[in-house]
């Protein structure tokens, strides 16, 4: 992994940080240790960070921190659920800042990672200089129903939804159905259920990837963690998001693809009409999708992260 990343950014070091409750968070550092510190927050929840995402950042300008959130990526224990919750993720972010001795930093992240960043920057407004976020996930009742109920994204991909869902059962029963499948005694059954869960998400994200019959541990952990958060209503994240967004003081840019089928623009618009904050700018990315697999979205994110560095430098000169 380190070798593969060399052409994207110089490798500094990696650590597994002990966070209590048996959690060991994988944190990899790249770029310029004298640069502006920037924490990258991956989506999912549970997707883990990828070295391919280093291409978003100029390694001369940023001290890049790639964090695998609880149970995700190379963090241990993989797929751990007992201590995996929203409060823990927020506490981990602040603990890492303190551990590294960083007074203020920048944030970047997409989907669930964007939600985490926005909440963190509202809870700790004096710790965040600026942030570039995209495909913000709104963890409301409407947001969950859009993803998993027959009345939502299912209308866009009816055949894929039929392969994912069980006809005529509610969301709670659907989640229980998948939980039982993930915990089945037969290994192949567990992987079949996880593959169906992930394939639905990949369809919505516009990622034409076929999944193997037996999933690698990080992919199986992703399915487990996503279901865990959905079953638990994202641990009240939406009410916290509503409460703290107005407290954000960092320069904040939200990029929203018009073709995002995971986190549709109307949900973001509805949310932001109820939360007033002049520090938050929204840029609509025409034909942009949900994931960085969308070339137009990826380009927009890369350019705005570069512009964020230039903005910070201008502030230092004034």
């Amino acid at each position: 992994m380190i070798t593969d990343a060399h052409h994207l950014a110089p490798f500094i070091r990696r650590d597994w940080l002990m966070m209590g409750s048996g959690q060991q968070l994988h944190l990899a550092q790249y770029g310029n240790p004298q640069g502006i510190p920037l924490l990258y927050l991956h989506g999912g929840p549970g997707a883990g960070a990828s070295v391919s995402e280093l291409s978003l950042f100029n390694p001369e300008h940023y001290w890049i921190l790639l964090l695998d959130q609880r149970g995700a990526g190379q963090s241990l224990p993989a797929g751990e659920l007992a201590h995996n919750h929203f409060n823990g993720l927020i506490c981990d972010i602040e603990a890492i800042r303190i551990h590294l001795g960083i007074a203020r930093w920048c944030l970047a992240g997409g989907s669930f990672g964007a939600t985490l960043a926005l909440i963190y920057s509202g809870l700790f407004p004096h710790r965040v200089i600026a942030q570039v976020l995209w495909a913000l996930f709104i963890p409301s009742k409407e947001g969950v129903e859009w993803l998993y109920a027959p009345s939502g994204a299912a209308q866009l991909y009816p055949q894929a939804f039929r392969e994912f869902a069980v006809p005529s059962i509610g969301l709670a029963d659907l989640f229980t159905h998948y939980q039982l499948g993930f915990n089945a005694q037969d290994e192949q059954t567990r992987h079949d259920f996880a593959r169906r869960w992930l394939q639905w998400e990949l369809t919505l994200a516009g990622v034409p990837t076929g999944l193997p019959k037996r999933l690698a541990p990080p992919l199986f952990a992703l399915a487990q963690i996503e279901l865990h958060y959905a079953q638990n209503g994202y641990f009240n994240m939406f009410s916290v998001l509503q409460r703290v967004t107005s407290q954000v003081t960092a320069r904040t840019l939200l990029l929203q693809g018009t073709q995002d089928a995971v986190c549709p623009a109307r949900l973001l618009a509805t949310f932001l009409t109820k939360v007033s904050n002049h520090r938050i700018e929204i840029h609509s990315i025409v034909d942009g999708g949900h994931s960085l697999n969308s070339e137009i979205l990826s380009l927009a994110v890369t350019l705005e992260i570069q512009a964020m560095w230039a903005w910070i430098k201008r502030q230092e000169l004034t």
Side-chain angles (χ1 to χ4, degrees), residues 33-35 66 122 143-144 147 170 179 186 188 203 232-233 250 259 267 277:
Q34 306 306 315
L66 297 187
V144 177
L147 284 175
Q179 182 184 37
D186 177 62
Q188 192 55 58
T203 298
N232 286 282
Q259 301 302 312
L267 289 178
N277 187 326

Side-chain angles (χ1 to χ4, degrees), residues 39-50 53 56 66-73 84 89 93 108-117 133-137 147-148 197-198 201 205 218-219 221-223 225-227 229 234 237 262-263 290-292:
L39 177 67
Y40 176 74
L41 293 169
H42 65 72
S50 168
E53 288 148 350
L56 299 172
L66 297 187
L67 169 67
D68 288 333
Q69 295 157 29
R70 295 188 177 202
N84 202 328
L89 300 185
I93 295 171
S111 195
F112 181 83
T115 314
L116 268 185
L133 312 175
W134 57 96
L136 181 76
F137 173 57
L147 284 175
Y148 302 118
W197 178 274
L198 295 176
E201 179 179 310
L219 279 177
L222 168 59
I225 294 169
E226 284 190 338
L227 175 62
Y229 274 76
Y234 295 89
M237 280 182 74
V262 178
C263 304
H290 177 73
S291 73
L292 294 173

Side-chain angles (χ1 to χ4, degrees), residues 72-308:
Q74 297 184 63
S75 290
L76 300 170
E80 197 273 344
L81 302 180
H83 303 284
N84 202 328
H85 44 70
F86 159 63
N87 285 349
L89 300 185
I90 292 292
C91 290
D92 291 344
I93 295 171
E94 181 62 358
I96 287 168
R97 184 194 64 77
I98 294 169
H99 170 77
L100 295 174
I102 295 171
R104 300 175 73 215
W105 54 3
C106 292
L107 303 178
S111 195
F112 181 83
T115 314
L116 268 185
L118 194 58
I119 291 174
Y120 173 85
S121 63
L123 290 170
F124 300 92
H126 302 301
R127 297 304 182 187
V128 183
I129 307 165
Q131 54 191 345
V132 174
L133 312 175
W134 57 96
L136 181 76
F137 173 57
I138 307 296
S140 61
K141 180 174 179 287
E142 291 75 19
V144 177
E145 288 178 347
W146 169 262
L147 284 175
Y148 302 118
S151 57
Q155 300 294 312
L156 302 177
Y157 302 97
Q159 179 58 40
F161 187 74
R162 281 193 290 271
E163 294 170 3
F164 163 72
V166 180
S168 304
I169 67 172
L171 280 186
D173 290 335
L174 177 67
F175 294 155
T176 299
H177 171 73
Y178 269 94
Q179 182 184 37
L180 292 172
F182 289 178
N183 294 324
Q185 289 190 344
D186 177 62
E187 182 184 44
Q188 192 55 58
T189 299
R190 296 197 298 272
H191 283 264
D192 287 345
F193 270 82
R195 191 173 65 253
R196 282 168 51 203
W197 178 274
L198 295 176
Q199 195 63 62
W200 170 241
E201 179 179 310
L202 289 173
T203 298
L204 295 185
V207 181
T209 301
L211 294 168
K213 281 199 166 185
R214 192 180 189 286
L215 300 173
L219 279 177
F220 191 83
L222 168 59
Q224 287 180 296
I225 294 169
E226 284 190 338
L227 175 62
H228 173 66
Y229 274 76
Q231 274 191 306
N232 286 282
Y234 295 89
F235 298 95
N236 207 35
M237 280 182 74
F238 183 59
S239 65
V240 179
L241 183 66
Q242 288 177 300
R243 177 169 57 84
V244 305
T245 298
S246 61
Q247 307 304 312
V248 173
T249 59
R251 175 187 183 268
T252 300
L253 182 61
L254 297 181
L255 302 175
Q256 176 63 47
T258 60
Q259 301 302 312
D260 189 338
V262 178
C263 304
R266 65 172 181 80
L267 289 178
L268 176 61
T270 300
F271 169 69
L272 290 176
T273 56
K274 300 175 182 177
V275 181
S276 177
N277 187 326
H278 71 281
R279 301 293 294 170
I280 299 175
E281 293 181 37
I282 309 163
H283 289 190
S284 182
I285 308 301
V286 177
D287 292 332
H290 177 73
S291 73
L292 294 173
N293 184 63
S294 166
E295 290 186 10
I296 188 70
L297 178 64
S298 180
L299 176 61
V301 169
T302 304
L303 291 174
E304 292 298 347
I305 289 173
Q306 180 70 13
M308 178 170 67

